[in-house]
Amino acid sequence: MRYLRYAIGSLACLMIACSSDRVFAPSLVTIDGIPYRVHASLNRDFMPLAPPDGEPLTLGIRIVTADGSAIPTSVTADSAWVYNGNAVWRTAVVEGEPRNMSSFDVGALGGPKWGPGIEVDVVVRLRDGAGHSFLLQAPRQLITRSD
């Protein structure tokens, strides 16, 4: 009976997670003994050559080790989700060069025309050398504007 209660609770959580577009993720994750955090920057370009309603959202993500240790080259990021209330932008991310010893950057272009001046939540998916995935969140990130 005890196991049935856990199974029902797990099934309910799974159903809620599957019925929602929202991905829940921690702000700190440990992969092979190394703790990771994420910092995100989001921007809309309104400079003179941009369309009157601005360029689409750009996303920059920096993955850092929380203790300053080196990041193995086998740890990568491949996807990100940006949440604006119930709306979500799902995107692949591309790694920038060069990689720093304790951090690396990824980014994406062509997002929605949200903001500027609003806060969104950013989730990135990391993968280790064995292909395991880990979600990492940067909550309440401000979308800025360039004029």
Side-chain angles (χ1 to χ4, degrees), residues 105-127:
D105 298 323
V106 296
L109 303 172
K113 290 190 173 185
W114 297 334
I118 65 169
E119 289 183 341
V120 295
D121 297 328
V122 177
V123 175
V124 63
R125 181 172 61 196
L126 303 179
R127 292 201 184 268

Side-chain angles (χ1 to χ4, degrees), residues 90-102:
R90 294 178 197 91
T91 185
V93 293
V94 176
E95 187 169 338
E97 295 290 333
R99 218 179 228 236
N100 189 331
M101 181 173 243
S102 62

Side-chain angles (χ1 to χ4, degrees), residues 21-45:
D21 229 1
R22 187 81 180 174
V23 173
F24 294 98
S27 57
L28 178 73
V29 67
T30 301
I31 304 171
D32 295 329
I34 301 172
Y36 294 87
R37 291 195 186 280
V38 63
H39 303 284
S41 61
L42 301 108
N43 188 49
R44 294 273 316 280
D45 181 359

